[in-house]
Amino acid sequence: IWIFHGFYAEEDLVGNLAIMSTSERIKAIQKMPETMKKKREIRNKVLKEITKKSGHHSTQFSGCTQCLQGAVVSFRRFGNTLSEYFHLLRFWHKTLKIIGAEFGTSVLSYFIFLKWLLTFNIFSFLINFSFITVPQFVAAEPNNLSFTGLELFTGAGYFQQTVLYYGFYTNATITKIENGPSYNMQLAYIFTVGIYFVICFLILLFSMAKSFCRNFLSPQTYSGNASKLLCTWDFNIINEKAVKLKQKNLSTQIKEDLTEVNQEVLNFSVSERVVRIVIHLVSWIASLGTAVAACAGVYFLSINNLKLFVKGHKNDLESQAAMLVLPIVASLLNAFIPFFYSWLGHLEKFQTPGHHVYVTITRNIVLKISIVGILCYYWLNIVSASESQCWETLVGQDIYRLVLVDFIFCLLGSFFGEFLRRIIGTTVCVSLGLPEFDIGRNVLDLIYAQTLTWIGILFSPLLPGIQMISFSIVFYVKKVSLMMNCQPPRKVWRTAQMTTSFMFLLFFPSFIGVLSVIGVTVWRLKPSEECGPFRGLPSMYAAVSKWIKILENYTASEWVVWIYHNLITSVLFFFVLSVLALIITYLYWQIIEGRKTMTKLLRKQIIN
């Protein structure tokens, strides 16, 4: 009887909902104390009921009205089904929840950042493949070089005559049909890369602003633990595993907040302060000296690397292996020096884990950006002036090898740095215990890899596709290594602002530095005479100037010429933009200071 009663009650509910307007029906379903799965079932039944009623009353409507109503209902059902599938396709959503519950928001911030970079590279690959690589397939000539397998590691040989590198792309206007529409490869190449970097700039600014507002300016950040404890539980969760995961997640967040509130301020004597200052100074001198020595080694090694190419290398095993010396040495420096920086951080004995992580990140970013800067100087001033037939392809090959070897070292770092450390800490030296996940080192590895990818886009348009695959593998390897080998941080601490800091480091100095490198390449350097889409031109940008001169002869294109002369090439326009950016930055900092003052007052009132 109870089952039949529930069945008829649900039928009445569906009938009542079918009578309501669309907005009223949505609100009514949202307010039901049911699970999301049950709500979706009720919604689908209501839509079927509406479709049946429209069929029964078809004689009251004209044919056009009936078709329109049916199309609207079908479109709505299709939209609802599509949104459900998109919800299911939110890859790694459950994994991120488990990581946040087990290891806290500090470790979670790394995986969120990695996922964000992966989506970034997917977008980059789709843009370059659609507008640069696909048109080149139409005009591509057959590749006469043989594939040996070593090219996967060196990027040379067979890959030189493929769409992977700049030198393979044509400078001709591609026409598939005679007297049909044409495709200017020069303009496509430079505009695709240019517009891509503009979109990246806007996405980075928007992401930083969104993360900044959420973590620094949102009133929820200052609402204390009472609302988190009493008002954040989702009563639609009925699955036992989901309930336990949610409980653990909330528990970890509250512990982080309480640790920050109850943080003790240590009082040191004068002699202790002097000792701490001396230790900090010696650590900084040691870290900066190590970075300078690493850069010098990379520079002299790169000079020897160029001599190998100028003399003309053979495709034997020895010459192929010699190409990998520079990326292996650079990756070794990037892999082992951060361990030295972590040891310095432990020696300095910071009061909070947050200070330790930020100092370690700062030292690592100085090291990695310095190495990238030395390599860029080598590429733009030495390789570009060399006797090579296609210096752009040489730069692309160097970056390909750097990206590949860095990926291999990242995987090896998870094995030797975390797996073997766990074996040693649990069997040989039990006092060491399980290792903690090194957030600073792993985040800087991602920023370094993404910086290389951005620089390489101009010389190897498909490099984001390679980075997309490597980031996907890194995510799974790091997740497994974290779950099997690492322990949660010994000191729980809140790091809501960490993701904002990661994005800022990706923007500056990484992205801004890449824009400088691309700007010098496009405006100042002379392209190779025998390869690439800009062969025979004084600079890559000359293709745009040449196109604008052609447009000046057409009255329909006057607006394009006006934008070019009055905005793109106008110093005043960019000066005004810079002033506006400075004013907005100043206002943001004023808001931050006001929020901090408000927070202190609220905390005093809560304590009182």
Side-chain angles (χ1 to χ4, degrees):
I1 296 170
W2 180 82
I3 293 171
F4 281 110
H5 176 72
F7 175 76
Y8 285 114
E10 187 173 314
E11 272 199 343
D12 294 338
L13 176 64
V14 170
N16 292 331
L17 288 171
I19 301 170
M20 297 180 182
S21 63
T22 304
S23 58
E24 290 176 349
R25 183 167 58 250
I26 292 171
K27 288 179 182 178
I29 294 174
Q30 286 176 347
K31 290 179 181 179
M32 289 179 184
E34 301 286 351
T35 62
M36 292 300 296
K37 185 177 180 181
K38 185 67 176 176
K39 287 180 181 179
R40 290 192 187 103
E41 289 177 0
I42 294 172
R43 183 194 61 199
N44 292 333
K45 288 180 180 180
V46 171
L47 291 174
K48 287 180 181 178
E49 184 69 20
I50 292 171
T51 307
K52 286 180 183 178
K53 286 185 178 180
S54 64
H56 289 316
H57 299 286
S58 59
T59 54
Q60 300 177 8
F61 299 100
S62 62
C64 293
T65 308
Q66 184 182 354
C67 291
L68 183 63
Q69 188 177 14
V72 169
V73 173
S74 301
F75 182 76
R76 190 181 298 133
R77 291 182 65 183
F78 172 74
N80 292 331
T81 308
L82 198 64
S83 65
E84 290 177 17
Y85 280 113
F86 273 122
H87 181 75
L88 294 173
L89 289 173
R90 289 171 64 188
F91 52 96
W92 301 334
H93 183 67
K94 185 178 179 181
T95 302
L96 294 175
K97 277 189 172 183
I98 294 170
I99 292 171
E102 295 286 342
F103 297 90
T105 56
S106 57
V107 177
L108 177 64
S109 61
Y110 165 80
F111 286 91
I112 292 174
F113 186 61
L114 175 55
K115 178 186 172 185
W116 186 77
L117 283 179
L118 176 61
T119 56
F120 217 97
N121 280 282
I122 292 172
F123 167 73
S124 308
F125 172 73
L126 292 176
I127 290 288
N128 288 352
F129 186 77
S130 301
F131 295 101
I132 298 178
T133 305
V134 171
Q136 177 61 31
F137 282 132
V138 178
E141 297 178 359
N143 191 344
N144 298 321
L145 298 176
S146 59
F147 182 77
T148 62
L150 289 172
E151 292 88 348
L152 293 173
F153 297 98
T154 63
Y158 179 82
F159 285 157
Q160 287 182 351
Q161 299 299 322
T162 64
V163 291
L164 183 61
Y165 294 120
Y166 163 94
F168 182 72
Y169 289 85
T170 181
N171 64 336
T173 300
I174 300 171
T175 305
K176 185 67 176 176
I177 305 171
E178 189 176 352
N179 298 325
S182 59
Y183 195 83
N184 192 318
M185 201 62 195
Q186 289 182 344
L187 296 178
Y189 202 100
I190 194 167
F191 278 136
T192 301
V193 174
I195 293 171
Y196 164 72
F197 276 110
V198 170
I199 294 172
C200 286
F201 181 79
L202 296 176
I203 290 174
L204 281 171
L205 281 182
F206 175 77
S207 300
M208 281 195 302
K210 184 180 177 181
S211 181
F212 181 83
C213 292
R214 184 173 62 248
N215 296 322
F216 287 93
L217 305 181
S218 175
Q220 296 174 356
T221 309
Y222 309 96
S223 60
N225 299 312
S227 61
K228 192 170 287 185
L229 184 64
L230 301 174
C231 306
T232 58
W233 186 259
D234 186 359
F235 289 94
N236 286 324
I237 300 175
I238 59 172
N239 183 272
E240 187 177 354
K241 288 185 179 179
V243 168
K244 288 182 178 179
L245 185 62
K246 184 71 174 178
Q247 287 174 343
K248 191 177 284 188
N249 215 323
L250 282 174
S251 173
T252 305
Q253 291 178 24
I254 292 170
K255 284 178 184 177
E256 292 171 353
D257 291 340
L258 289 174
T259 303
E260 185 177 350
V261 172
N262 299 327
Q263 181 181 332
E264 295 181 4
V265 179
L266 301 177
N267 295 318
F268 297 103
S269 63
V270 176
S271 59
E272 288 175 336
R273 288 180 182 176
V274 171
V275 170
R276 288 177 65 84
I277 291 171
V278 170
I279 291 173
H280 288 316
L281 286 175
V282 171
S283 298
W284 275 106
I285 291 170
S287 63
L288 293 175
T290 307
V292 171
C295 291
V298 169
Y299 177 74
F300 288 112
L301 190 62
S302 61
I303 297 297
N304 293 327
N305 184 62
L306 180 63
K307 290 178 181 178
L308 179 68
F309 285 108
V310 172
K311 287 180 181 179
H313 55 276
K314 300 177 181 178
N315 286 327
D316 57 356
L317 187 61
E318 183 180 354
S319 299
Q320 296 281 338
M323 297 180 194
L324 296 172
V325 174
L326 176 61
I328 287 174
V329 170
S331 297
L332 281 171
L333 293 172
N334 281 321
F336 286 104
I337 293 178
F339 287 108
F340 173 64
Y341 289 166
S342 296
W343 178 78
L344 288 177
H346 289 297
L347 191 68
E348 290 173 286
K349 295 180 180 179
F350 292 99
Q351 293 186 29
T352 63
H355 290 163
H356 183 192
V357 170
Y358 282 121
V359 169
T360 305
I361 285 177
T362 304
R363 288 170 180 167
N364 278 291
I365 197 74
V366 169
L367 170 70
K368 293 179 184 292
I369 294 300
S370 299
I371 290 176
V372 173
I374 288 295
L375 288 171
C376 289
Y377 175 82
Y378 156 70
W379 291 326
L380 300 185
N381 290 276
I382 298 173
V383 176
S384 63
S386 65
E387 300 174 2
S388 172
Q389 292 182 348
C390 191
W391 65 267
E392 294 93 347
T393 296
L394 291 185
V395 174
Q397 289 174 0
D398 270 345
I399 297 175
Y400 173 89
R401 288 189 286 270
L402 284 166
V403 168
L404 181 66
V405 174
D406 178 72
F407 165 67
I408 294 171
F409 270 76
C410 184
L411 300 183
L412 293 176
S414 295
F415 178 77
F416 290 104
E418 293 165 1
F419 175 70
L420 290 184
R421 171 69 174 76
R422 176 178 69 88
I423 299 297
I424 294 169
T426 54
T427 56
V428 180
C429 186
V430 183
S431 59
L432 289 175
L434 294 174
E436 292 185 16
F437 189 78
D438 193 338
I439 302 167
R441 180 173 58 85
N442 283 286
V443 166
L444 266 298
D445 287 342
L446 295 180
I447 293 177
Y448 172 74
Q450 187 60 42
T451 304
L452 290 176
T453 304
W454 275 333
I455 296 172
I457 280 178
L458 188 64
F459 308 104
S460 179
L462 296 185
L463 200 59
I466 299 170
Q467 198 64 272
M468 177 180 68
I469 297 170
S470 68
F471 278 162
S472 302
I473 297 172
V474 165
F475 187 96
Y476 284 106
V477 170
K478 290 292 181 183
K479 183 203 77 170
V480 172
S481 178
L482 178 72
M483 295 296 182
M484 292 179 60
N485 305 320
C486 299
Q487 64 172 338
R490 292 185 181 93
K491 294 182 179 179
V492 183
W493 55 292
R494 188 171 69 88
T495 176
Q497 294 86 10
M498 188 67 81
T499 306
T500 310
S501 304
F502 296 162
M503 289 181 181
F504 178 77
L505 287 174
L506 187 66
F507 181 76
F508 180 84
S510 176
F511 184 75
I512 297 300
V514 169
L515 288 183
S516 303
V517 172
I518 297 298
V520 171
T521 306
V522 171
W523 269 274
R524 296 292 181 89
L525 298 184
K526 181 177 175 60
S528 299
E529 293 287 345
E530 301 179 13
C531 71
F534 304 102
R535 66 190 80 174
L537 295 177
S539 67
M540 294 183 183
Y541 188 72
V544 179
S545 304
K546 183 180 176 182
W547 177 60
I548 291 296
K549 287 181 180 179
I550 295 173
L551 291 181
E552 288 176 353
N553 300 322
Y554 299 94
T555 54
S557 303
E558 287 180 353
W559 63 277
V560 178
V561 178
W562 186 90
I563 290 174
Y564 175 79
H565 288 298
N566 293 281
L567 296 181
I568 297 176
T569 59
S570 173
V571 178
L572 179 62
F573 174 71
F574 288 102
F575 174 76
V576 172
L577 284 181
S578 302
V579 170
L580 288 174
L582 289 173
I583 292 172
I584 292 170
T585 305
Y586 173 76
L587 292 175
Y588 266 125
W589 281 114
Q590 291 297 317
I591 293 170
I592 290 174
E593 293 300 323
R595 288 287 185 181
K596 285 181 179 178
T597 307
M598 254 177 62
T599 307
K600 289 178 182 178
L601 292 174
L602 284 171
R603 283 178 178 171
K604 284 181 181 178
Q605 289 177 2
I606 291 168
I607 291 169
N608 294 333

